[in-house]
Amino acid sequence: MKRVILAYGAAGGHIAKISDVISEVLRSHDIDVTFLDVNADREADPAEYDGAVVGASIHLGRHEKHMVEFIRTYVDALNRMPSAFFSASLEVEADPDEAKGLVEQFERETGWRPDRVALFGGALVHAHYGFARRHLMKRQDEGQKPGLGTDVSRDYVYTEWDAVRRFAEDFAADVNASGTHRA
Ligand SMILES: Cc1cc2nc3c(=O)[nH]c(=O)nc-3n(C[C@H](O)[C@H](O)[C@H](O)COP(=O)(O)O)c2cc1C
């Protein structure tokens, strides 16, 4: 059975939800999935797996710094195995070119060349953010992205779940078609 590591940062929890859907699809293709919350644990070595999926979200104009550091540490192993990156943000809806540019910047900063890259719409779960963050995001939305999630009394989910499942199906095929990569 092939083994895949699925690494994500869990700032607000939506990346973890997308990761759950991806893992369900991979498991349905007989792939064993190990989750790694990079906020809590950066020690797991991707070299011990046959493939890697990494998810990061955009917060305040960039992907999480700790995820950049994690990738840099393991970039050689990641570039040798089937690997996939997904990014979640509001820019995907508001300004797709900006979202693409931030993914390219992430690739430049890390030196990682994932085989597959997907950009998914993120979520705004205002109830989780607390007053200060809600206020900050409301101002950010008003300034830069009119119409996206400005009503702080409700939540917004912009993720297209079918696109998430297709991304996972394609990656499952990559992993199952490739040899064993474990160190
Ligand atoms: C404090 C904060 C700042 C954010 N800044 C941005 C941003 O600059 N650009 C963007 O496209 N999305 C931004 N978002 C939206 C997130 O990318 C989106 O909510 C994503 O789903 C978050 O994933 P997470 O719940 O795993 O953190 C921000 C969200 C929060 C909570």
Side-chain angles (χ1 to χ4, degrees), residues 58-163:
I58 295 174
H59 279 204
L60 304 178
R62 53 169 299 153
H63 288 94
E64 293 104 335
K65 210 167 168 213
H66 58 263
M67 192 53 94
V68 173
E69 286 161 9
F70 172 76
I71 304 288
R72 276 190 185 148
T73 306
Y74 297 108
V75 68
D76 291 340
L78 290 168
N79 279 332
R80 278 198 300 269
M81 62 175 58
S83 67
F85 175 60
F86 69 94
S87 165
S89 69
L90 301 183
E91 301 291 5
V92 173
E93 295 291 319
D95 187 349
D97 286 342
E98 173 76 11
K100 234 177 123 208
L102 289 171
V103 168
E104 284 163 8
Q105 180 184 328
F106 182 82
E107 290 184 5
R108 273 196 308 277
E109 280 177 344
T110 57
W112 181 32
R113 298 286 169 266
D115 301 307
R116 294 189 181 275
V117 175
L119 282 70
F120 301 128
L124 286 177
V125 185
H126 289 295
H128 288 184
Y129 294 146
F131 173 76
R133 237 185 205 202
R134 271 207 305 273
H135 182 65
L136 176 73
M137 294 184 60
K138 189 166 190 299
R139 289 189 50 191
Q140 192 182 24
D141 279 340
E142 283 167 354
Q144 298 171 14
K145 313 174 187 78
L148 272 185
T150 40
D151 178 359
V152 296
S153 68
R154 53 158 292 203
D155 299 335
Y156 298 82
V157 177
Y158 296 102
T159 314
E160 286 181 22
W161 297 104
D162 283 349

